[in-house]
Amino acid sequence: MPNAFTQEQITQEAHRLYGLLGSVSKTKAARWTLDDCRAAAPLTLEINRLKKEKNAVILAHSYTGPDLVYGVADFRGDSYELSLKAREVSADVIIFAGVWFMAETAKIINPQKQVFIPAGRAGCTLADSMTGADLMRLKAKHPGVPVLCYINSSADVKAQCDACVTSGNVFDIAQKLPGKELIFVPDMLMAQNLEAELKRRGTPKKIISSGGSCCVHDKYRPEHVKKLRADYPGISVVAHPECPIEVCELCDYVGSTKGMAAYVARTQAPVYGMLTEFGLVNRMEAEHPDKKFIWPFGVCSYMKRNTLANTLQALADPLPAQTVSVDEQTAAAARKAIEKMFELAQ
Ligand code: 13P
Ligand code: SF4
């Protein structure tokens, strides 16, 4: 249970939170209110107190809730930004508010740290679509072909790849690899976007993939882009490369979570159509209160399993299900693929 804080401390914290979240949508129809912030305040106060006591840092993916992202996180970002942070932090404890493969990656690249994930074994339809044995079979059918895996994969899959990639560096890293063929797993939609992008760049490759997709981004259709353009003249539509290629081809910008945020920051459109997860929309609303965002739909229920309450639990008295561990043999092989990404991303 949170420490007893005075009414004055709670009111002050509620106003701090409201200053950060007042322009952010809590649901599609409603914004964060001062009362919402007052309810969150005892938790954020206690989490921020415990972080100091335990020498812990909180890394939060942009798709978790804005109360976590702005109320308690030390670092917020996309998969690549957070894996870089996880590699360099000096704190004893990392609380990773994200999904399992992200926390597992943090443990692999910084094994001396204790890593906890508030949401427990929160999956991801991409990471859960392929086992190490599945990849072994695919590789056996295509001997000698370089193998890249998306970071949204299990440690067992990473352990068998030449390099890991994120949505922010997949195109550049794939272009650097030798040969006319490439195995890229487990996202079949990103694989199609990758094949098209390499062709556009004049360095075509045949991409061999598996059958996974993101249950959030795979739902967008060309009709959604067309409707946004009809309803909001001048709209700039952005999408993640986990979306189907027919959708990406109609958008003004396609890129990683960080890339979409940077595009919004550097452009001036009357309105932005966000074909991505609600958390990024929330971040854009917080960081650009002067800009307007339209979000058709798209919530990752796995990411949203991270809450202030279970973040407090993970800090105060972590449950076994919140404790991240990877066997050293798998971790050593997976680490090589992740380190290769850092090298190739330069
Ligand atoms: P980012 O690398 O863009 O953070 O993507 C991770 C993810 O899970 C997107 O659905
Ligand atoms: Fe996985 Fe999609 Fe959720 Fe990202 S948004 S964690 S890819 S299910």
Side-chain angles (χ1 to χ4, degrees):
M1 281 302 286
N3 259 10
F5 293 101
T6 65
Q7 277 311 314
E8 195 188 337
Q9 285 172 309
I10 290 172
T11 301
Q12 209 176 31
E13 176 69 350
H15 282 276
R16 179 185 80 86
L17 293 174
Y18 190 61
L20 296 163
L21 302 180
S23 58
V24 172
S25 304
K26 188 163 189 190
T27 64
K28 200 164 177 181
R31 305 236 145 173
W32 276 80
T33 64
L34 186 55
D35 279 346
D36 294 325
C37 294
R38 197 178 294 281
L43 292 164
T44 57
L45 281 169
E46 179 63 356
I47 291 169
N48 286 325
R49 187 192 72 75
L50 268 175
K51 268 193 326 196
K52 290 194 196 118
E53 189 182 298
K54 307 250 173 176
N55 191 23
V57 290
I58 299 182
L59 311 188
H61 192 274
S62 300
Y63 296 175
T64 60
D67 46 353
L68 280 170
V69 168
Y70 291 103
V72 298
D74 299 284
F75 303 103
R76 54 188 87 102
D78 69 359
S79 314
Y80 188 68
E81 292 173 295
L82 294 180
S83 56
L84 275 177
K85 278 289 167 223
R87 192 180 183 217
E88 70 190 31
V89 292
S90 57
D92 297 324
V93 176
I94 297 175
I95 303 289
F96 204 120
V99 291
W100 184 264
F101 77 80
M102 295 180 177
E104 190 178 61
T105 302
K107 181 68 183 174
I108 290 168
I109 53 185
N110 209 339
Q112 308 87 328
K113 307 296 172 195
Q114 288 185 283
V115 179
F116 302 109
I117 172 168
R121 273 204 169 255
C124 160
T125 55
L126 278 170
D128 297 341
S129 71
M130 176 171 238
T131 64
D134 295 333
L135 180 54
M136 219 179 280
R137 280 190 288 275
L138 185 65
K139 283 170 61 171
K141 284 191 204 157
H142 304 278
V145 175
V147 186
L148 284 185
C149 66
Y150 192 26
I151 196 164
N152 296 42
S153 56
S154 66
D156 283 343
V157 166
K158 288 185 177 83
Q160 296 183 54
C161 293
D162 298 310
C164 172
V165 296
T166 70
S167 55
N169 53 39
V170 54
F171 302 136
D172 292 341
I173 291 181
Q175 200 176 2
K176 287 180 184 168
L177 295 182
K180 293 283 174 209
E181 286 190 328
L182 179 63
I183 295 176
F184 171 70
V185 292
D187 189 339
M188 64 177 175
L189 300 183
M190 193 179 283
Q192 289 168 11
N193 283 310
L194 173 60
E195 192 165 277
E197 177 63 17
L198 292 178
K199 197 169 169 195
R200 267 192 294 275
R201 290 180 180 199
T203 50
K205 284 183 199 294
K206 181 179 171 212
I207 308 295
I208 299 151
S209 190
S210 55
S213 69
C214 160
C215 62
V216 176
H217 293 99
D218 70 4
K219 301 288 182 299
Y220 298 115
R221 295 289 173 268
E223 291 65 46
H224 298 127
V225 185
K226 288 176 194 155
K227 180 155 175 30
L228 285 171
R229 294 211 188 279
D231 290 350
Y232 302 95
I235 193 169
S236 215
V237 185
V238 306
H240 195 280
E242 291 168 6
C243 294
I245 189 165
E246 318 81 72
V247 171
C248 293
E249 279 168 347
L250 297 177
C251 291
D252 298 286
Y253 177 82
V254 178
S256 63
T257 299
K258 179 184 174 196
M260 288 187 280
Y263 176 83
V264 167
R266 71 172 179 265
T267 57
Q268 280 299 337
V271 52
Y272 291 88
M274 307 295 290
L275 299 191
T276 190
E277 212 279 339
F278 192 40
L280 183 65
V281 183
N282 294 158
R283 276 202 64 178
M284 295 301 90
E285 289 170 330
E287 291 168 24
H288 306 284
D290 52 320
K291 293 186 176 177
K292 187 173 170 190
F293 302 96
I294 305 294
W295 164 75
F297 58 86
V299 172
C300 179
S301 58
Y302 306 106
M303 288 282 189
K304 296 319 193 221
R305 279 203 224 159
N306 295 278
T307 63
L308 289 175
N310 57 27
T311 299
L312 178 55
Q313 167 85 53
L315 255 175
D317 186 15
L319 303 168
Q322 295 174 312
T323 308
V324 182
S325 66
V326 188
D327 81 76
E328 192 36 48
Q329 203 184 345
T330 309
R335 194 174 302 125
K336 276 193 195 156
I338 301 166
E339 290 297 337
K340 191 73 186 170
M341 168 178 75
F342 291 128
E343 182 195 318
L344 291 170
Q346 298 303 320

